[in-house]
Amino acid sequence: QVQLVESGGGLVQPGGSLRLSCAASGRIVRIDAMGWYRQAPGKERELVASITSGGTPNYVDSVKGRFTISRDNAKNTVYLQMNSLELEDTAVYYCNALLRAFYTTNRNYWGQGTQVTVSS
């Protein structure tokens, strides 16, 4: 069984920083893209950043220049460094991975979510 476990959320003041981590575990054959989504109250879940297996990142416009996504393929882990946090970044952040596990085909897996609150 595959699991994605997130950590690193919390409460931070505007302008502050947080680093999210997400580790994938289980009988994994291969991980393709990994990414971070977020969902604020009353809003739809949106893609924040993604990264290919080769390390090519992609960001939503609202976080460009402030957030950095990276991954450690040896650890099956993806990170999201969030700097210059704004009130609008408040949301539950979800890790996502497109991967293949033993005896399955490629599919998306989700973490349980971690709360990020930006408040003064």
Side-chain angles (χ1 to χ4, degrees), residues 42-84:
K43 295 188 176 181
E44 294 186 353
R45 190 174 297 189
E46 67 169 349
L47 175 64
V48 177
S50 62
I51 186 167
T52 67
S53 58
T56 301
N58 180 59
Y59 301 95
V60 68
D61 285 346
S62 60
V63 308
K64 285 180 180 178
R66 300 189 298 120
F67 291 10
T68 302
I69 189 170
S70 61
R71 63 190 284 175
D72 184 335
N73 291 333
K75 296 181 179 180
N76 290 339
T77 299
V78 63
Y79 307 95
L80 186 66
Q81 178 66 44
M82 305 185 293
N83 299 329
S84 302

Side-chain angles (χ1 to χ4, degrees), residues 18-58:
L18 283 175
R19 188 189 193 211
L20 305 182
S21 299
C22 172
S25 63
R27 303 188 71 187
I28 296 169
V29 174
R30 183 187 71 246
I31 301 178
D32 294 325
M34 302 185 81
W36 291 92
Y37 288 70
R38 67 185 178 187
Q39 188 166 19
K43 295 188 176 181
E44 294 186 353
R45 190 174 297 189
E46 67 169 349
L47 175 64
V48 177
S50 62
I51 186 167
T52 67
S53 58
T56 301
N58 180 59

Side-chain angles (χ1 to χ4, degrees), residues 8-13 17-18 115-120:
L11 173 64
V12 64
Q13 292 185 339
S17 298
L18 283 175
Q115 177 70 46
V116 171
T117 303
V118 184
S119 175
S120 55

